[in-house]
């Protein structure tokens, strides 16, 4: 039988002594909490801290964020991935200026009406920024509960989600939501980790049913492993009269509004060189020839492993004005200006390679 009050106390005391010194914990300013919560989705904490510091230097408040251009926002986010998060932050900043007096709302229902804010983020902002008595459940907390309460429901199932929210709500000590919710998240990040939890230092070990029954490897129930899907792509860096061609992806596309060199997925029985020539014609109506290979980059995107073959190409014609079919804008720029634009991971790797090998 779990003694809730002892469990709550143990967690709060542990958090007080062991919490990490994170920038947004200095003053719990709602804007900073919001940005940290969005950045922390799918991202390691050391990267979140680095990007959060950079973000706050560029956009210290909601007004400066709303005044910035979408290009500036995406550039600051470049490398964090899942760019719809940055675009939603931007939309929300403008809504906050127009409708909420440049302030993040406290109420869950209002928070949920803002772009990119779902149940978890709304509860995190309400409890951590404003101290509202609402529970949160993220992947860390689900894992802790599965072990602590020996829950054998399928992860991600509606039953499991319902159970975790009920447990989180029942456990929440009144008036302590800010620290208690963070204590759970911190325990999941530092102690009750996915692999090899450090039970010997766990403040709630005496309450943990999975530890008691020797079931930790089975809690949560292991997910079936998802296969990595390989994808082959090719792209071309078009140089003309000392300038390089870049285009901006369509706003509602994957990596929407990011910049890129034209290219795409290789068809079966097509060489990478053929792909580049074909993609240039389809996307820009520019006829190009492949001049030389630059490199091949590999990066991972969700469950895809993307192999990107990269070439220098040149125009086969005098016409250098494209007709865009897969982009909303284009620029011919000196290569030295390329860092002013945000690119997806594979193309950023290519740029880094060209810079470090002085290829452009
Ligand atoms: Fe997690 Fe171990 Fe603590 Fe149980 S005792 S909650 S498995 S760290």
């Amino acid at each position: 039988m779990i003694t809730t009050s002892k469990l709550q106390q143990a967690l709060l005391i542990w958090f007080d002594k062991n919490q990490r010194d994170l920038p947004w914990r200095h003053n719990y300013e709602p804007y900073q909490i919001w940005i940290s919560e969005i950045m922390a989705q799918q991202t390691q904490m050391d990267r979140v801290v680095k990007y959060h510091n950079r973000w706050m230097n560029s956009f210290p408040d909601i007004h400066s964020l709303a005044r910035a251009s979408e290009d500036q926002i995406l550039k600051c986010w470049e490398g964090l991935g899942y760019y719809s998060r940055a675009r939603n932050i931007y939309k929300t900043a403008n809504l906050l200026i127009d409708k909420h007096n440049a302030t993040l709302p406290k109420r869950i229902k209002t928070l949920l009406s803002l772009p990119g804010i779902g149940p978890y983020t709304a509860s995190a902002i309400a409890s951590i920024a404003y101290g509202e008595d609402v529970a949160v459940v993220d992947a860390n907390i689900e894992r802790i509960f599965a072990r602590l309460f020996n829950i054998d429901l399928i992860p991600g199932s509606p039953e499991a989600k319902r159970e975790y929210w009920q447990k989180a709500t029942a456990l929440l000590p009144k008036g302590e939501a800010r620290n208690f919710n963070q204590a759970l998240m911190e325990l999941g990040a530092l102690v009750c980790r996915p692999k090899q939890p450090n039970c010997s230092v766990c403040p709630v070990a005496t309450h943990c049913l999975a530890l008691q029954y020797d079931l930790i490897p089975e809690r949560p129930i292991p997910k079936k492993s998802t296969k990595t899907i390989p994808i082959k792509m090719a792209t071309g860096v078009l140089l003309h009269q000392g300038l390089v061609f870049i285009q901006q992806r369509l706003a509602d596309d994957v990596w929407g509004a990011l910049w890129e060199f034209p290219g795409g997925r290789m068809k079966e029985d097509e060489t990478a060189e053929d792909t580049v020539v074909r993609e240039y014609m389809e996307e820009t109506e520019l006829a190009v020839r492949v001049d030389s290979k630059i490199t091949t980059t590999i990066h991972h995107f969700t469950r895809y492993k993307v192999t990107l073959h990269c070439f220098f190409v040149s125009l086969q014609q005098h016409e250098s004005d494209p007709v865009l079919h897969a982009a909303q804008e284009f620029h011919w720029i000196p290569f030295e200006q390329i860092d002013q634009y945000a690119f997806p991971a594979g193309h950023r790797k290519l740029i880094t390679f060209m810079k470090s090998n002085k290829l452009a």
Side-chain angles (χ1 to χ4, degrees), residues 251-264:
D252 54 358
D253 204 352
V254 61
W255 300 306
L258 265 69
W259 293 81
E260 65 172 11
F261 310 109

Side-chain angles (χ1 to χ4, degrees), residues 243-354:
L243 301 175
V244 59
F245 179 81
I246 57 173
Q247 63 178 10
Q248 187 177 34
R249 295 178 70 93
L250 299 172
D252 54 358
D253 204 352
V254 61
W255 300 306
L258 265 69
W259 293 81
E260 65 172 11
F261 310 109
R265 214 161 157 162
M266 289 169 61
K267 292 185 175 172
E268 254 177 59
D269 302 328
E270 188 178 49
T271 66
E273 287 89 341
D274 290 343
T275 303
V276 172
V277 172
R278 176 181 54 75
E279 288 282 343
Y280 258 91
M281 184 50 70
E282 287 175 5
E283 293 185 2
T284 67
E285 294 190 20
L286 292 173
V288 299
R289 75 171 71 83
V290 172
D291 293 328
S292 58
K293 177 88 186 259
I294 305 175
T295 186
T296 298
T297 68
I298 292 178
H299 69 279
H300 293 266
F301 167 63
T302 59
R303 58 205 179 91
Y304 302 103
K305 178 187 172 190
V306 182
T307 303
L308 180 66
H309 300 285
C310 315
F311 301 89
F312 280 124
V313 299
S314 56
L315 290 172
Q316 285 201 46
Q317 58 194 33
H318 291 302
E319 181 57 60
S320 64
D321 273 345
V323 180
L324 298 182
H325 293 287
Q328 54 187 343
E329 203 178 330
F330 74 93
H331 287 323
W332 286 99
I333 57 163
F335 188 73
E336 304 78 60
Q337 288 179 10
I338 207 147
D339 284 344
Q340 293 173 19
Y341 299 85
F343 285 79
H347 289 214
R348 178 49 66 188
K349 275 190 177 176
L350 164 60
I351 292 166
T352 304
F353 180 87
M354 287 194 287

